[in-house]
Amino acid sequence: MSKIKVGIVMGSSSDWPVMQNAAQILTDFGVPFEAKVVSAHRMPIDMVDYGAQASEQGYHAIIAGAGGAAHLPGMLAALTEVPVFGVPVPSRYLKGEDSLLSIVQMPKGVPVATFAIGEAGAANAALHVIATMAVHDADLKEKLKAFRAQQTENARAMHLPAVGESS
Ligand code: RP5
């Protein structure tokens, strides 16, 4: 079991179907995490407490997902030196483009590493946390190499149906 501890936070339980993709990757790699709802606009005091205590709580990284005018990742990044990995959650009307721009367009000085909208972004945020930690963790690096090798094998084994054949 890795010594790394990761926080996964999101603005609503409605974000979980997307954010659980980050949790799944961390689970697969044996990286401990704690996932919870910390809403920037419905629980602002809790959000400040979470960010202010993130370092002393032992978090090595925070994966933060939110949708709409997504303030959570940027505000957490402003509250802690723990690196924040932002996941834009798809929104109902603007399909997450609002979430993406809210998270990615941080003014200079307080970065949020921002990923793709939706499930791929959540999974990639976790993979990027793992890649960052693997620089100093040989066991994690081997797991990451194996994961990549399996992906390569899966792609090589892909079959395209003949024209007219159902896939
Ligand atoms: C944001 O508002 C959340 O991150 C969520 O993506 C969005 C909608 O939340 P619900 O109304 O579904 O709780 O704070």
Side-chain angles (χ1 to χ4, degrees), residues 82-141:
V82 175
V84 175
F85 300 73
V87 179
V89 173
S91 53
R92 185 169 175 193
Y93 292 106
L94 298 181
K95 311 299 181 199
E97 289 190 29
D98 44 353
S99 325
L100 171 64
L101 294 175
S102 298
I103 296 172
V104 77
Q105 285 294 96
M106 283 298 288
K108 183 178 180 182
V110 180
V112 173
T114 307
F115 294 85
I117 299 168
E119 290 87 350
N124 279 347
L127 286 168
H128 202 63
V129 167
I130 288 164
T132 304
M133 304 306 176
V135 172
H136 300 292
D137 185 326
D139 181 47
L140 213 45
K141 186 176 280 186

Side-chain angles (χ1 to χ4, degrees), residues 11-12 14-15 39 41-42 65-67 89:
S12 171
S14 68
D15 297 333
S39 169
H41 70 286
R42 293 169 177 148
V89 173

